Amino acid sequence: MAEFSIIDLYFKRTSKTDVSLGIGDDSAVITPPTSQQLVICADTLVAGRHFPVDTSAHAIGWKSVAVNLSDLAAMGAKPHSILLALSLPTIDHDWLAGFSQGLFDCCDQFGVSLIGGDTTQSTQLTISVTALGWIEHGQAVTRAGAQVGDYICVSGQIGDAAFGLQHLGHALQKRLDYPTPRCLLGQQLKTVASSMIDISDGLAQDLGHILKASDVGAKLFLDQIPIDKSLKLLDKQQAWHYVLAGGDDYELCFTISPQNFEKLSRQQLDVPITIIGEITQQTGLLFEYMGEIHPLHVHGYQHFA
Ligand code: ADP
Ligand code: MG
């Protein structure tokens, strides 16, 4: 079957959002809203590396979109569209039907259109998605703005996906397979957060990126990090390992001044947020537990380790 039929069968749909020219020509055309900046990112999922090989096609479709929308959310951007570069070992219609359904389910939930891509054959199943979003000029939240005295906050629960990966079949596997990009929260945070990142490689490592970019340090209150009841049953060391070094949660981690936190808590949010620490002048990552302060040495997921 030709590449074109795959595209027509599985990926060509009428756009549900504002797209000037979608799939079918050499490039797509979109019209930027006035005084908005384009926010753009890409993420690749490789079978066996970024998801277990027996993950359902539907979940892979969902996740390949969700991880990119999460990167847009972490900047405070409103997602608009995606491009899909797909490398397939074989043409498996059941797989393609499930994958495209999962991809479009995620697109529909967050008001995003698939506007183009590329389809090739290769030995390894590889899915690369590029996502585009908009933000008011100058409002993108970077990793570099954390200030001494800011609170460190996270959305949702941390450690669920890492636990799910080690306990396939457990209810928390859903958090691994179907992460929820925090698109609305990200946009609500753009005017109040001083820095932001999404948690893909583990809380300690991802927060570390904020600390480095902002040239500050942090103290974490480990007992305040929101975790699932399944993690509460574990030995503390084990639970902290999932929380600090596990990846794939796609929750937002952000810093915010106490005044702005007050403002934020008066707003209606679609996911709970929790204060888990504070930004310090002294660089490095410390944690407080039972009134004592300790240095924190954990490493998250590293692709070339
Ligand atoms: P070209 O040869 O000019 O690069 P292609 O034949 O690769 O064009 O693609 C034809 C059209 O289908 C283009 O609009 C392209 O963006 C789109 N397309 C190709 N593969 C995909 C895919 N996996 N998902 C969505 N759109 C795709
Ligand atoms: Mg092509």
Side-chain angles (χ1 to χ4, degrees):
M1 170 181 272
E3 170 195 343
F4 307 108
S5 330
I6 298 177
I7 299 163
D8 283 345
L9 263 177
Y10 298 108
F11 299 111
K12 202 164 171 175
R13 279 197 331 180
T14 16
S15 296
K16 298 193 172 168
T17 55
D18 177 30
V19 176
S20 307
L21 182 65
I23 292 175
D25 219 303
D26 291 308
S27 300
V29 179
I30 49 181
T31 310
T34 37
S35 69
Q36 305 262 315
Q37 285 179 301
L38 172 65
V39 183
I40 183 165
C41 62
D43 239 324
T44 299
L45 302 185
V46 179
R49 187 123 248 257
H50 298 99
F51 51 86
V53 278
D54 54 358
T55 305
S56 81
H58 188 274
I60 298 169
W62 173 283
K63 192 165 177 174
S64 62
V65 179
V67 299
N68 280 280
L69 301 190
S70 176
D71 277 328
L72 293 181
M75 306 304 288
K78 183 178 196 301
H80 176 270
S81 43
I82 59 162
L83 293 136
L84 168 68
L86 194 55
S87 299
L88 301 167
T90 53
I91 295 173
D92 175 338
H93 288 282
D94 285 344
W95 190 88
L96 278 163
F99 173 80
S100 56
Q101 189 61 53
L103 177 131
F104 282 126
D105 284 348
C106 190
C107 284
D108 289 346
Q109 180 147 342
F110 297 97
V112 165
S113 299
L114 175 63
I115 59 168
D118 197 23
T119 309
T120 53
Q121 208 253 332
S122 84
T123 49
Q124 187 89 306
L125 169 64
T126 306
I127 303 128
S128 188
V129 170
T130 301
L132 291 72
W134 308 117
I135 198 161
E136 291 78 11
H137 210 281
Q139 282 202 0
V141 185
T142 68
R143 299 173 177 186
Q147 303 289 320
V148 175
D150 282 353
Y151 294 144
I152 300 163
C153 299
V154 291
S155 63
Q157 292 181 166
I158 309 301
D160 291 3
F163 181 92
L165 180 63
Q166 295 304 319
H167 301 81
L168 295 176
H170 186 279
L172 286 181
Q173 191 188 337
K174 187 137 193 292
R175 292 268 293 148
L176 173 74
D177 289 346
Y178 290 94
T180 307
R182 301 302 183 189
C183 296
L184 271 182
L185 178 65
Q187 292 169 70
Q188 285 173 299
L189 289 171
K190 73 186 166 198
T191 50
V192 287
S194 52
S195 70
M196 180 148 60
I197 194 166
D198 67 322
I199 305 174
S200 53
D201 296 333
L203 175 61
Q205 183 169 308
D206 290 323
L207 174 60
H209 293 312
I210 286 187
L211 303 183
K212 187 152 186 267
S214 304
D215 195 24
V216 289
K219 189 169 75 182
L220 286 181
F221 314 124
L222 290 192
D223 270 351
Q224 289 175 31
I225 300 176
I227 57 171
D228 190 79
K229 54 183 187 312
S230 305
L231 277 84
K232 287 184 183 148
L233 297 174
L234 302 174
D235 164 79
K236 276 215 185 310
Q237 294 287 334
Q238 183 63 54
W240 288 345
H241 183 75
Y242 286 130
V243 168
L244 296 166
D248 268 352
D249 283 319
Y250 298 97
E251 294 296 342
L252 293 176
C253 174
F254 59 95
T255 59
I256 186 167
S257 68
Q259 302 88 299
N260 281 351
F261 184 83
E262 280 306 308
K263 270 197 223 168
L264 183 66
S265 26
R266 287 194 290 273
Q267 287 187 46
Q268 187 78 36
L269 304 174
D270 66 350
V271 56
I273 56 167
T274 312
I275 299 175
I276 60 160
E278 60 192 30
I279 295 293
T280 59
Q281 179 101 58
Q282 192 194 348
T283 55
L285 188 52
L286 303 174
F287 73 93
E288 190 179 291
Y289 181 63
M290 310 250 291
E292 282 188 45
I293 311 268
H294 311 267
L296 188 63
H297 303 289
V298 264
H299 301 286
Y301 186 75
Q302 292 200 348
H303 294 273
F304 295 98

Tab-separated table of all heavy atoms in Angstrom, residues 183-240:
chain	number	residue	atom	x	y	z
A	183	CYS	N	-2.711	21.480	29.912
A	183	CYS	CA	-2.800	22.614	28.985
A	183	CYS	C	-3.480	23.837	29.601
A	183	CYS	O	-2.968	24.949	29.474
A	183	CYS	CB	-3.542	22.185	27.722
A	183	CYS	SG	-2.658	20.910	26.807
A	184	LEU	N	-4.605	23.628	30.261
A	184	LEU	CA	-5.326	24.784	30.826
A	184	LEU	C	-4.545	25.399	31.973
A	184	LEU	O	-4.384	26.614	32.049
A	184	LEU	CB	-6.696	24.348	31.337
A	184	LEU	CG	-7.830	24.404	30.334
A	184	LEU	CD1	-9.130	23.981	30.993
A	184	LEU	CD2	-7.956	25.823	29.755
A	185	LEU	N	-4.037	24.540	32.857
A	185	LEU	CA	-3.262	25.042	33.994
A	185	LEU	C	-2.067	25.861	33.498
A	185	LEU	O	-1.806	26.947	34.000
A	185	LEU	CB	-2.783	23.883	34.874
A	185	LEU	CG	-1.919	24.307	36.054
A	185	LEU	CD1	-2.719	25.148	37.053
A	185	LEU	CD2	-1.299	23.094	36.763
A	186	GLY	N	-1.364	25.341	32.498
A	186	GLY	CA	-0.209	26.057	31.945
A	186	GLY	C	-0.589	27.468	31.521
A	186	GLY	O	0.124	28.435	31.816
A	187	GLN	N	-1.727	27.593	30.848
A	187	GLN	CA	-2.157	28.917	30.395
A	187	GLN	C	-2.554	29.812	31.576
A	187	GLN	O	-2.322	31.013	31.558
A	187	GLN	CB	-3.323	28.785	29.418
A	187	GLN	CG	-2.901	28.130	28.103
A	187	GLN	CD	-4.105	27.757	27.248
A	187	GLN	OE1	-4.782	28.618	26.714
A	187	GLN	NE2	-4.378	26.467	27.134
A	188	GLN	N	-3.141	29.200	32.614
A	188	GLN	CA	-3.512	30.003	33.790
A	188	GLN	C	-2.272	30.477	34.548
A	188	GLN	O	-2.304	31.486	35.241
A	188	GLN	CB	-4.414	29.191	34.722
A	188	GLN	CG	-5.821	29.071	34.193
A	188	GLN	CD	-6.654	28.124	35.045
A	188	GLN	OE1	-6.348	26.942	35.177
A	188	GLN	NE2	-7.720	28.636	35.634
A	189	LEU	N	-1.171	29.716	34.397
A	189	LEU	CA	0.045	30.054	35.146
A	189	LEU	C	0.903	31.103	34.446
A	189	LEU	O	1.809	31.667	35.059
A	189	LEU	CB	0.877	28.789	35.383
A	189	LEU	CG	0.298	27.802	36.395
A	189	LEU	CD1	1.079	26.494	36.386
A	189	LEU	CD2	0.310	28.418	37.796
A	190	LYS	N	0.614	31.375	33.183
A	190	LYS	CA	1.556	32.219	32.423
A	190	LYS	C	1.728	33.619	32.999
A	190	LYS	O	2.780	34.216	32.845
A	190	LYS	CB	1.180	32.269	30.943
A	190	LYS	CG	-0.032	33.097	30.630
A	190	LYS	CD	-0.420	32.984	29.170
A	190	LYS	CE	-1.822	33.541	29.010
A	190	LYS	NZ	-2.485	33.141	27.787
A	191	THR	N	0.710	34.128	33.693
A	191	THR	CA	0.843	35.476	34.242
A	191	THR	C	1.295	35.470	35.706
A	191	THR	O	1.546	36.531	36.270
A	191	THR	CB	-0.501	36.238	34.158
A	191	THR	OG1	-1.520	35.384	34.714
A	191	THR	CG2	-0.849	36.584	32.719
A	192	VAL	N	1.395	34.303	36.321
A	192	VAL	CA	1.759	34.269	37.744
A	192	VAL	C	3.022	33.462	38.087
A	192	VAL	O	3.700	33.766	39.072
A	192	VAL	CB	0.580	33.756	38.624
A	192	VAL	CG1	-0.508	34.807	38.734
A	192	VAL	CG2	0.013	32.452	38.113
A	193	ALA	N	3.344	32.448	37.293
A	193	ALA	CA	4.521	31.624	37.611
A	193	ALA	C	5.800	32.357	37.200
A	193	ALA	O	5.823	33.070	36.207
A	193	ALA	CB	4.427	30.277	36.893
A	194	SER	N	6.871	32.159	37.972
A	194	SER	CA	8.139	32.808	37.624
A	194	SER	C	9.005	31.888	36.759
A	194	SER	O	9.866	32.352	36.015
A	194	SER	CB	8.890	33.216	38.896
A	194	SER	OG	9.010	32.108	39.776
A	195	SER	N	8.786	30.571	36.840
A	195	SER	CA	9.482	29.620	35.972
A	195	SER	C	8.639	28.358	35.936
A	195	SER	O	7.811	28.140	36.829
A	195	SER	CB	10.890	29.305	36.504
A	195	SER	OG	10.792	28.535	37.689
A	196	MET	N	8.858	27.546	34.902
A	196	MET	CA	8.022	26.337	34.792
A	196	MET	C	8.728	25.305	33.925
A	196	MET	O	9.496	25.634	33.025
A	196	MET	CB	6.666	26.737	34.193
A	196	MET	CG	5.686	25.607	34.022
A	196	MET	SD	3.954	26.107	34.205
A	196	MET	CE	3.739	27.329	32.921
A	197	ILE	N	8.394	24.020	34.203
A	197	ILE	CA	8.904	22.891	33.414
A	197	ILE	C	7.864	21.775	33.540
A	197	ILE	O	7.099	21.753	34.511
A	197	ILE	CB	10.291	22.436	33.950
A	197	ILE	CG1	11.003	21.500	32.969
A	197	ILE	CG2	10.180	21.785	35.334
A	197	ILE	CD1	12.494	21.306	33.277
A	198	ASP	N	7.823	20.872	32.588
A	198	ASP	CA	6.959	19.702	32.789
A	198	ASP	C	7.839	18.539	33.223
A	198	ASP	O	9.030	18.464	32.888
A	198	ASP	CB	6.121	19.365	31.540
A	198	ASP	CG	6.949	18.880	30.377
A	198	ASP	OD1	8.070	19.416	30.163
A	198	ASP	OD2	6.495	17.974	29.654
A	199	ILE	N	7.269	17.653	34.034
A	199	ILE	CA	8.065	16.572	34.631
A	199	ILE	C	8.030	15.365	33.707
A	199	ILE	O	7.067	14.621	33.680
A	199	ILE	CB	7.558	16.217	36.040
A	199	ILE	CG1	7.533	17.475	36.908
A	199	ILE	CG2	8.463	15.145	36.661
A	199	ILE	CD1	6.917	17.262	38.274
A	200	SER	N	9.094	15.208	32.929
A	200	SER	CA	9.171	14.067	32.022
A	200	SER	C	10.276	13.104	32.434
A	200	SER	O	10.197	11.911	32.193
A	200	SER	CB	9.394	14.543	30.586
A	200	SER	OG	10.512	15.401	30.514
A	201	ASP	N	11.328	13.622	33.066
A	201	ASP	CA	12.488	12.784	33.393
A	201	ASP	C	12.687	12.587	34.891
A	201	ASP	O	13.732	12.110	35.315
A	201	ASP	CB	13.761	13.392	32.788
A	201	ASP	CG	13.709	13.399	31.268
A	201	ASP	OD1	13.026	12.541	30.694
A	201	ASP	OD2	14.340	14.283	30.660
A	202	GLY	N	11.723	12.960	35.710
A	202	GLY	CA	11.846	12.839	37.162
A	202	GLY	C	11.900	14.212	37.813
A	202	GLY	O	12.555	15.115	37.295
A	203	LEU	N	11.215	14.341	38.957
A	203	LEU	CA	11.096	15.653	39.617
A	203	LEU	C	12.455	16.265	39.942
A	203	LEU	O	12.691	17.449	39.692
A	203	LEU	CB	10.254	15.502	40.888
A	203	LEU	CG	10.112	16.735	41.768
A	203	LEU	CD1	9.439	17.880	41.031
A	203	LEU	CD2	9.342	16.407	43.051
A	204	ALA	N	13.377	15.464	40.508
A	204	ALA	CA	14.656	16.034	40.935
A	204	ALA	C	15.426	16.582	39.738
A	204	ALA	O	15.949	17.699	39.770
A	204	ALA	CB	15.485	14.989	41.669
A	205	GLN	N	15.467	15.805	38.667
A	205	GLN	CA	16.215	16.237	37.481
A	205	GLN	C	15.545	17.437	36.804
A	205	GLN	O	16.215	18.393	36.418
A	205	GLN	CB	16.316	15.070	36.496
A	205	GLN	CG	17.130	15.412	35.268
A	205	GLN	CD	17.446	14.161	34.446
A	205	GLN	OE1	17.957	13.170	34.983
A	205	GLN	NE2	17.143	14.194	33.174
A	206	ASP	N	14.232	17.399	36.676
A	206	ASP	CA	13.545	18.486	35.982
A	206	ASP	C	13.557	19.772	36.802
A	206	ASP	O	13.795	20.854	36.254
A	206	ASP	CB	12.129	18.051	35.591
A	206	ASP	CG	12.163	17.004	34.476
A	206	ASP	OD1	13.032	17.132	33.582
A	206	ASP	OD2	11.366	16.056	34.501
A	207	LEU	N	13.363	19.649	38.113
A	207	LEU	CA	13.502	20.837	38.956
A	207	LEU	C	14.940	21.355	38.870
A	207	LEU	O	15.177	22.564	38.858
A	207	LEU	CB	13.130	20.504	40.414
A	207	LEU	CG	13.356	21.613	41.443
A	207	LEU	CD1	12.538	22.857	41.126
A	207	LEU	CD2	13.020	21.118	42.859
A	208	GLY	N	15.895	20.424	38.796
A	208	GLY	CA	17.305	20.798	38.634
A	208	GLY	C	17.525	21.718	37.433
A	208	GLY	O	18.357	22.627	37.482
A	209	HIS	N	16.775	21.501	36.347
A	209	HIS	CA	16.908	22.359	35.161
A	209	HIS	C	16.466	23.795	35.472
A	209	HIS	O	17.070	24.752	35.005
A	209	HIS	CB	16.066	21.822	34.001
A	209	HIS	CG	16.551	20.507	33.473
A	209	HIS	ND1	17.875	20.261	33.178
A	209	HIS	CD2	15.887	19.368	33.184
A	209	HIS	CE1	17.992	19.025	32.737
A	209	HIS	NE2	16.811	18.455	32.739
A	210	ILE	N	15.409	23.925	36.275
A	210	ILE	CA	14.951	25.266	36.677
A	210	ILE	C	16.033	25.932	37.539
A	210	ILE	O	16.394	27.086	37.331
A	210	ILE	CB	13.618	25.180	37.472
A	210	ILE	CG1	12.463	24.864	36.519
A	210	ILE	CG2	13.363	26.458	38.263
A	210	ILE	CD1	11.080	24.912	37.156
A	211	LEU	N	16.582	25.153	38.486
A	211	LEU	CA	17.574	25.723	39.413
A	211	LEU	C	18.809	26.207	38.646
A	211	LEU	O	19.336	27.281	38.918
A	211	LEU	CB	17.973	24.688	40.470
A	211	LEU	CG	16.824	24.115	41.308
A	211	LEU	CD1	17.366	23.154	42.360
A	211	LEU	CD2	16.002	25.231	41.954
A	212	LYS	N	19.253	25.399	37.688
A	212	LYS	CA	20.441	25.749	36.916
A	212	LYS	C	20.157	26.992	36.068
A	212	LYS	O	20.942	27.944	36.058
A	212	LYS	CB	20.825	24.558	36.031
A	212	LYS	CG	22.118	24.734	35.306
A	212	LYS	CD	22.767	23.378	35.029
A	212	LYS	CE	24.144	23.557	34.422
A	212	LYS	NZ	24.144	23.545	32.968
A	213	ALA	N	19.028	26.977	35.360
A	213	ALA	CA	18.710	28.098	34.469
A	213	ALA	C	18.481	29.382	35.259
A	213	ALA	O	18.761	30.480	34.775
A	213	ALA	CB	17.468	27.768	33.636
A	214	SER	N	17.990	29.255	36.495
A	214	SER	CA	17.664	30.441	37.296
A	214	SER	C	18.804	30.813	38.256
A	214	SER	O	18.712	31.830	38.947
A	214	SER	CB	16.391	30.193	38.120
A	214	SER	OG	15.312	29.832	37.302
A	215	ASP	N	19.833	29.944	38.328
A	215	ASP	CA	20.976	30.162	39.217
A	215	ASP	C	20.557	30.316	40.683
A	215	ASP	O	20.953	31.265	41.357
A	215	ASP	CB	21.788	31.377	38.736
A	215	ASP	CG	23.167	31.420	39.381
A	215	ASP	OD1	23.654	30.343	39.805
A	215	ASP	OD2	23.755	32.525	39.490
A	216	VAL	N	19.736	29.390	41.134
A	216	VAL	CA	19.278	29.383	42.529
A	216	VAL	C	19.320	27.943	43.038
A	216	VAL	O	19.677	27.025	42.291
A	216	VAL	CB	17.828	29.924	42.643
A	216	VAL	CG1	17.774	31.417	42.379
A	216	VAL	CG2	16.892	29.159	41.694
A	217	GLY	N	18.956	27.743	44.291
A	217	GLY	CA	18.865	26.399	44.860
A	217	GLY	C	17.454	26.147	45.362
A	217	GLY	O	16.577	27.007	45.209
A	218	ALA	N	17.250	24.977	45.968
A	218	ALA	CA	15.908	24.665	46.441
A	218	ALA	C	15.940	23.756	47.651
A	218	ALA	O	16.883	22.984	47.836
A	218	ALA	CB	15.094	23.991	45.347
A	219	LYS	N	14.896	23.902	48.452
A	219	LYS	CA	14.674	22.988	49.576
A	219	LYS	C	13.307	22.349	49.358
A	219	LYS	O	12.323	23.050	49.135
A	219	LYS	CB	14.685	23.794	50.882
A	219	LYS	CG	14.693	22.942	52.115
A	219	LYS	CD	14.979	23.787	53.352
A	219	LYS	CE	13.774	24.607	53.735
A	219	LYS	NZ	13.998	25.476	54.907
A	220	LEU	N	13.277	21.018	49.367
A	220	LEU	CA	12.014	20.301	49.150
A	220	LEU	C	11.488	19.746	50.466
A	220	LEU	O	12.268	19.302	51.306
A	220	LEU	CB	12.229	19.123	48.194
A	220	LEU	CG	12.424	19.419	46.715
A	220	LEU	CD1	12.590	18.111	45.951
A	220	LEU	CD2	11.261	20.221	46.145
A	221	PHE	N	10.159	19.767	50.633
A	221	PHE	CA	9.518	19.142	51.791
A	221	PHE	C	8.954	17.816	51.308
A	221	PHE	O	7.851	17.762	50.775
A	221	PHE	CB	8.408	20.032	52.342
A	221	PHE	CG	8.800	21.480	52.482
A	221	PHE	CD1	8.065	22.484	51.854
A	221	PHE	CD2	9.937	21.840	53.207
A	221	PHE	CE1	8.436	23.816	51.982
A	221	PHE	CE2	10.314	23.178	53.330
A	221	PHE	CZ	9.555	24.169	52.703
A	222	LEU	N	9.765	16.754	51.461
A	222	LEU	CA	9.409	15.476	50.831
A	222	LEU	C	8.036	14.961	51.246
A	222	LEU	O	7.311	14.395	50.435
A	222	LEU	CB	10.468	14.409	51.130
A	222	LEU	CG	11.827	14.602	50.457
A	222	LEU	CD1	12.664	13.333	50.606
A	222	LEU	CD2	11.689	14.951	48.984
A	223	ASP	N	7.682	15.189	52.522
A	223	ASP	CA	6.398	14.658	52.998
A	223	ASP	C	5.205	15.392	52.410
A	223	ASP	O	4.074	14.951	52.564
A	223	ASP	CB	6.333	14.708	54.528
A	223	ASP	CG	6.868	13.410	55.116
A	223	ASP	OD1	7.098	12.476	54.319
A	223	ASP	OD2	7.052	13.347	56.333
A	224	GLN	N	5.456	16.528	51.769
A	224	GLN	CA	4.324	17.284	51.200
A	224	GLN	C	4.105	17.006	49.720
A	224	GLN	O	3.142	17.497	49.129
A	224	GLN	CB	4.541	18.771	51.453
A	224	GLN	CG	4.355	19.079	52.928
A	224	GLN	CD	4.670	20.514	53.272
A	224	GLN	OE1	4.492	21.404	52.468
A	224	GLN	NE2	5.142	20.721	54.477
A	225	ILE	N	5.005	16.234	49.121
A	225	ILE	CA	4.831	15.930	47.700
A	225	ILE	C	3.614	15.009	47.547
A	225	ILE	O	3.530	13.979	48.219
A	225	ILE	CB	6.098	15.271	47.104
A	225	ILE	CG1	7.296	16.224	47.265
A	225	ILE	CG2	5.894	14.925	45.635
A	225	ILE	CD1	8.623	15.676	46.802
A	226	PRO	N	2.639	15.407	46.723
A	226	PRO	CA	1.404	14.620	46.605
A	226	PRO	C	1.644	13.296	45.884
A	226	PRO	O	2.122	13.275	44.747
A	226	PRO	CB	0.477	15.521	45.777
A	226	PRO	CG	1.389	16.459	45.053
A	226	PRO	CD	2.626	16.611	45.881
A	227	ILE	N	1.343	12.189	46.577
A	227	ILE	CA	1.534	10.861	45.981
A	227	ILE	C	0.267	10.026	46.096
A	227	ILE	O	-0.579	10.277	46.951
A	227	ILE	CB	2.729	10.088	46.610
A	227	ILE	CG1	2.554	9.946	48.124
A	227	ILE	CG2	4.043	10.768	46.270
A	227	ILE	CD1	3.592	9.017	48.766
A	228	ASP	N	0.175	9.039	45.243
A	228	ASP	CA	-0.970	8.131	45.222
A	228	ASP	C	-0.972	7.241	46.472
A	228	ASP	O	0.083	6.994	47.063
A	228	ASP	CB	-0.886	7.263	43.972
A	228	ASP	CG	-2.159	6.461	43.754
A	228	ASP	OD1	-3.129	7.050	43.251
A	228	ASP	OD2	-2.181	5.261	44.098
A	229	LYS	N	-2.153	6.729	46.803
A	229	LYS	CA	-2.258	5.842	47.984
A	229	LYS	C	-1.396	4.593	47.822
A	229	LYS	O	-0.876	4.070	48.800
A	229	LYS	CB	-3.705	5.480	48.273
A	229	LYS	CG	-4.479	4.872	47.121
A	229	LYS	CD	-5.924	4.644	47.552
A	229	LYS	CE	-6.760	3.890	46.541
A	229	LYS	NZ	-6.698	4.327	45.144
A	230	SER	N	-1.183	4.133	46.601
A	230	SER	CA	-0.337	2.947	46.380
A	230	SER	C	1.115	3.230	46.761
A	230	SER	O	1.825	2.331	47.216
A	230	SER	CB	-0.363	2.519	44.921
A	230	SER	OG	-1.680	2.317	44.509
A	231	LEU	N	1.565	4.462	46.557
A	231	LEU	CA	2.942	4.803	46.927
A	231	LEU	C	3.073	5.009	48.434
A	231	LEU	O	4.138	4.778	49.007
A	231	LEU	CB	3.425	6.049	46.173
A	231	LEU	CG	3.958	5.789	44.759
A	231	LEU	CD1	2.834	5.743	43.749
A	231	LEU	CD2	4.996	6.807	44.366
A	232	LYS	N	1.976	5.428	49.055
A	232	LYS	CA	2.010	5.641	50.512
A	232	LYS	C	2.213	4.333	51.256
A	232	LYS	O	2.689	4.323	52.383
A	232	LYS	CB	0.716	6.309	50.984
A	232	LYS	CG	0.664	7.774	50.587
A	232	LYS	CD	-0.563	8.466	51.142
A	232	LYS	CE	-0.595	9.913	50.642
A	232	LYS	NZ	-1.959	10.418	50.462
A	233	LEU	N	1.836	3.217	50.636
A	233	LEU	CA	1.982	1.909	51.270
A	233	LEU	C	3.422	1.406	51.228
A	233	LEU	O	3.783	0.462	51.922
A	233	LEU	CB	1.096	0.872	50.569
A	233	LEU	CG	-0.418	1.123	50.620
A	233	LEU	CD1	-1.164	0.105	49.769
A	233	LEU	CD2	-0.906	1.062	52.073
A	234	LEU	N	4.249	2.030	50.393
A	234	LEU	CA	5.622	1.549	50.200
A	234	LEU	C	6.553	2.054	51.295
A	234	LEU	O	6.242	3.035	51.982
A	234	LEU	CB	6.167	2.046	48.852
A	234	LEU	CG	5.410	1.667	47.588
A	234	LEU	CD1	6.030	2.380	46.400
A	234	LEU	CD2	5.448	0.156	47.406
A	235	ASP	N	7.677	1.418	51.389
A	235	ASP	CA	8.794	1.893	52.183
A	235	ASP	C	9.142	3.309	51.671
A	235	ASP	O	9.107	3.547	50.461
A	235	ASP	CB	9.908	0.865	51.917
A	235	ASP	CG	11.246	1.347	52.320
A	235	ASP	OD1	11.517	1.293	53.513
A	235	ASP	OD2	12.016	1.764	51.433
A	236	LYS	N	9.461	4.248	52.578
A	236	LYS	CA	9.668	5.642	52.188
A	236	LYS	C	10.742	5.822	51.109
A	236	LYS	O	10.584	6.600	50.180
A	236	LYS	CB	10.035	6.488	53.402
A	236	LYS	CG	8.824	6.964	54.180
A	236	LYS	CD	9.067	8.354	54.737
A	236	LYS	CE	7.926	8.834	55.621
A	236	LYS	NZ	6.596	8.705	55.071
A	237	GLN	N	11.852	5.075	51.265
A	237	GLN	CA	12.951	5.190	50.287
A	237	GLN	C	12.463	4.833	48.884
A	237	GLN	O	12.803	5.481	47.903
A	237	GLN	CB	14.093	4.227	50.659
A	237	GLN	CG	14.791	4.562	51.947
A	237	GLN	CD	15.674	5.794	51.797
A	237	GLN	OE1	16.134	6.091	50.709
A	237	GLN	NE2	15.875	6.521	52.884
A	238	GLN	N	11.657	3.771	48.839
A	238	GLN	CA	11.152	3.286	47.559
A	238	GLN	C	10.193	4.322	46.941
A	238	GLN	O	10.273	4.649	45.760
A	238	GLN	CB	10.435	1.945	47.795
A	238	GLN	CG	9.913	1.274	46.553
A	238	GLN	CD	11.028	0.899	45.600
A	238	GLN	OE1	11.963	0.229	45.979
A	238	GLN	NE2	10.939	1.352	44.354
A	239	ALA	N	9.295	4.846	47.789
A	239	ALA	CA	8.328	5.845	47.314
A	239	ALA	C	9.072	7.085	46.811
A	239	ALA	O	8.760	7.616	45.740
A	239	ALA	CB	7.366	6.218	48.427
A	240	TRP	N	10.072	7.533	47.552
A	240	TRP	CA	10.815	8.726	47.141
A	240	TRP	C	11.554	8.491	45.830
A	240	TRP	O	11.731	9.405	45.041
A	240	TRP	CB	11.808	9.144	48.229
A	240	TRP	CG	11.137	9.733	49.430
A	240	TRP	CD1	9.833	10.169	49.493
A	240	TRP	CD2	11.701	9.942	50.714
A	240	TRP	NE1	9.563	10.633	50.743
A	240	TRP	CE2	10.682	10.514	51.523
A	240	TRP	CE3	12.953	9.710	51.275
A	240	TRP	CZ2	10.894	10.864	52.855
A	240	TRP	CZ3	13.162	10.053	52.606
A	240	TRP	CH2	12.149	10.614	53.384
